Amino acid sequence: MFLINCPYCGERDQSEFVSGGEAHIARPKQPTELNDDQWAEYLFMRKNIKGIQFERWNHAHGCRKWFNVARDTSNDKIEKIYKMGEQPPKL
Amino acid sequence: MSKNLRINNKQFIDETRKLSFIFNGKKLYGYKGDTLASALLSNDIHLVGRSFKYHRPRGIMTSGSEEPNAILQIGNDDALTEPNVRATEIELYDGLICNSQNCWPSVKFDIGGINNFLSPLLPAGFYYKTFMWPASFWEKYEYFIRKSAGLGKSPTKQDPDMYDHRYMHCDILIIGGGVSGLIAAKIASDDNKKVLLLEDKELLGGSLIYDDNDISKIDNQKSSEWLKKLIENIKNDKNIIIKTRTSLAAYHNYNFLLARQNLTDHLSVNDRNNKIRQRLYKIRAKKVIISTGAIERPQVFHNNDRPGIMLASAVKKYIDYYGVRCGLENVIFTNNDSAYETALSLHKSGTKLNAIVDIRNNSSSEIVNKVKSLGIQIYWNHTIVNTKGYKRINKVTIMKLNDKGNDVVGKKIELNCDCLAISGGWTPMVHLFTQSGGKLKFDNKDNIFVPDKTNLNQLSIGSAKGDFELDDVLKNSIKDTKKFLQIENSNFDKIDVKCSKEKEKKNIWLLPSDKPLSKTKPFLDYQNDSTAKDIKLALREGFKSIEHVKRYTTTGMGTDQGKLANMHALGIVADTTNTNMGDLGTTTFRPPYTPLTFGTIVGRNVGQFFDIFRKTPMHDWHVDNNAKFENVGQWKRAWYYPKDGESMHDAVQRESKAARESSGILDASTLGKIDIQGTDANEFLNRVYTNAWSKLQIGKCRYGLMLNEDGMVYDDGVTTKLGENHYLMTTTTGGAANVMSKLEDYLQTEWPELDVFLTSVTDHYATASVCGPNAKKIINKIFKDLDLSDESFPHMSFKEVKLGNINCRVMRISFTGELSYEINVEASYGKYIWEKCIEAGKEFNITPYGTETMHLLRAEKGFIIVGQDTDGTMTPVDLQMDWIISKKKYDFIGKRSLYRSDTIREDRKQLVGLLTDDPNEILEEGAQIVKDENKKPVNMLGHVTSSYFSPTLKKSIALAVLKEGKKLKGQKLLVPMIDKTIKVTVSDTVFLDKENERING
Ligand SMILES: [Zn+2]
């Protein structure tokens, strides 16, 4: 059970949050111009790495805000939390 | 209490409080302070159960949570009985009833004991090899295995006990109230930290508190006396919260821990009334100190499992703490110095010690010299090669070890004994450390795994870290705790410790015997009956990984998680394969550390508190009017309203007929409602729904279909334009929360430029939906000034009106195909407006109908229910709802997916209607549809999603998803059932009023 430092509310128990999967996968601006493979890349393909992974989290039972988390999947250590729209940190 | 086994001990046992208990039907006595195990031992009872596979007689072996044999069924009440309770852990109370579990018909005569003689036929993997084939027989095998093995009986009635959960927060959590944990607690408290100290026993102090030898001294006092003063000091310390009888169950990441406290298990049954039985603490600790101590290992030799064979440390504790002799003729068998403390305790209590057998060549430490000076016979460099005595040990046979320690030489010597105290050294309790993700390293000197790396803010101290001698334990605990807490000085810095120091070490994982290994039974895991032979067999059969060996032989897989067995299993694997133990790695210890009751896990969330449920403002009216309810998500929705003992079918037929012929009323309050505001609200709707919203006028309503980005139907509902930049969206009842989250996600992460605000208002409004040919008349009676003409108030439009002071939003929308009005009011007026409608509708026989009738009415019209007729694999095209997909819009959620290669396949499953050839035959929802049921394998074409008998059409109707369904209209197909095959014809999805005339009344 993690402790997650919501950038808007502060440190809270993991049970208040939901994970939204891999971060920094922007929805294509012009989906109609993509071929099937390109669209499938956006729609289905997600990384599953051992090490630092960038993820979206939502403070669902709190402020309801989405934000980004850099988490080490090998030990669940949260290295960095940053707001939506910000660039991923170099780790 | 026979045979003079009880020694006067007024310190921990209250001999003024005699307690009676019943073991296997026999009434026995013990004292307050006893565990069930110590009470049994004081009655000269060692034999308490039978082993799992060979049904060998087994006795009490330990004095703690590592006990593999003495697991009993407590109580005989159908609701309160509890299996798998360790006699060594449960405190004796007056009236305790317990029974042996793993024996039938009785512990003394056990039919499964025949397995012992058949054991050459029962090697490792026996159950896997024999019973796994053919697979269809498994159920039968399982029955017999369970009957003859049986690890206790579950209670058959609901647990009447109360359980509780509580959150705790602390600076320092200390797990284990032995001497090192107590010192750490004091150091932390002196530094003004908030300390939570957990101890699984009833008293603090660990094993040092009953230490009675004169060799170890702290600050020139007897070590137990010094410790008692420290405990008094800690008990009065306001910074330290102490929870006794509290065992740590799980150590999760981020220092989140679960601990279970026993509050009433030690009380007599009558004293437990209205008290909480167990409490689960959910603990967040800034720092954690693990001081869980160590457990003694047995030694592995031929027939090392007889009743009367016990760990040396347990024999010592039964004497020094409980005042119970485990036998009158004792022999000690050891490879280390700690068993000599047991020798001193036996001697001091006047208990006969026949001999000590030590596999080492000699030892000259202080404590060994003291034992030597008492004239006790010590057989150096000897090992036990066999033991005798079926239900209780009566003899051991010893022989001299050769130089390598891998064989025995010389003559056999027989020693009499009724208790054999064995010690194979000590294993740090690193279970919690590894549970928390910590990595271990192997210490070749002591043959132990000790804590190494951790990511957490935690520290292991004392024997849990691998310090076994008193001066190391104390001095390192002080030093490490100070460093961990970043403290310069403590009150313990000048501590003076004196103790015996062990000088000789020797360890043989599998001791040799004069017989070949194949003729011996050296047990490793007592509970699962696995022997050293099984490990070797597994290795011969090609298992290499310790995890595989463990599963194949079931070593360490019992309720004790192999606390005693694991190190020997590893050692034998290492020796056999010539591997360093450190390279083998250990098996993973998983929570819970000791078994938890389900009650503790569930806490107060039982019965009506198992899950939260939501009621509409009209709920009480439904209850008063005999509604049956169905669960829709968390909502309790009125399902149907049976009258005079009607069946569900009859009630639904009556309700739907009334709605079609005069008027019906439905509580639609549970529909999800999202208030949407902002200058970009219209653009937002265009992006989330498949159809176009740009031209919707204020005061008008529109049906919308929402997709996932993969093109599959996600939700649907009607949205009303309340004002220029203000909309009210409705969602399905079950989908409300998910839709809200999804929309919020898009707004925050994909389209932050949009000026849109979403507010969930599901609970804020109540909705009464009045439908039927007389609906207009009823609404007119309620809102006398409201112009209900089709010109002023057409289908799919909305009016805001007042009823007295109540603001009402009236929508003319229909899910039944009938003329229908939905009245939305603030939730607190919900029941009022509902009753108003009922009153106004009386003369029109207004009939309340539930969700079942609603489903029937909409099915007659071919309206889908998302989640019933769709399952996350249906596109709007599959649903034959192409009309709702805007061709003009550049983009909306899921648009691109509608022409992926997979979604444009023509042979996808598509929504169709089905009519049964026999109009009275009602299909079962979920039934499969086929064309040819004779050609095997039968080709499944689809399945029925909705099915009803329509009283208006006087026939059965159904919706179904069917491969290439669009092309199959008019086709005859089959629905095979278990006892018959139903003939059906594919039809249109709209069964009633294809021209939509009813919508105007
Ligand atoms: Zn927040």
Side-chain angles (χ1 to χ4, degrees), chain B residues 832-846:
Chain B
Y832 172 80
I833 203 76
W834 177 270
E835 284 171 339
K836 271 269 177 213
C837 294
I838 296 284
E839 190 189 309
K842 218 170 230 167
E843 58 176 299
F844 306 102
N845 183 33
I846 192 167

Side-chain angles (χ1 to χ4, degrees), chain A residues 1-3 13 27 30-36 39 42-43 56 64-66 75-78, chain B residues 253-254 256 284 455 709-710 740 745-746 748-750 890-893 896-897 899-901:
Chain A
M1 189 93 85
F2 313 166
L3 276 178
D13 199 280
R27 187 175 187 274
Q30 293 162 326
T32 49
E33 282 160 37
L34 302 181
N35 64 28
D36 269 13
W39 180 244
Y42 159 72
L43 201 55
R56 295 153 16 96
R64 301 186 65 91
K65 283 283 201 184
W66 284 92
N75 57 22
D76 285 334
K77 195 171 171 218
I78 292 175
Chain B
N253 215 336
Y254 287 75
F256 179 70
R284 281 281 184 196
N455 290 308
E709 207 67 272
D710 62 7
M740 180 74 188
D745 186 352
Y746 273 90
Q748 286 183 35
T749 67
E750 300 294 353
Y890 178 72
D891 193 14
F892 55 81
I893 296 172
R896 174 61 186 82
S897 289
Y899 52 96
R900 286 177 53 234
S901 57

Side-chain angles (χ1 to χ4, degrees), chain B residues 29 123 156 273 366 429 468 503 557 606 632 815 860 999:
Chain B
Y29 295 93
T156 51
N273 285 339
E366 197 181 342
M429 301 267 254
F468 297 125
K503 288 172 183 148
M557 305 273 284
V606 291
V632 182
F815 190 44
E860 290 175 334
I999 212 82

Side-chain angles (χ1 to χ4, degrees), chain A residues 6-10 12 17 59 62-65 67:
Chain A
C6 171
Y8 306 94
C9 308
R12 296 287 194 280
F17 298 83
H59 195 182
C63 64
R64 301 186 65 91
K65 283 283 201 184
F67 53 89

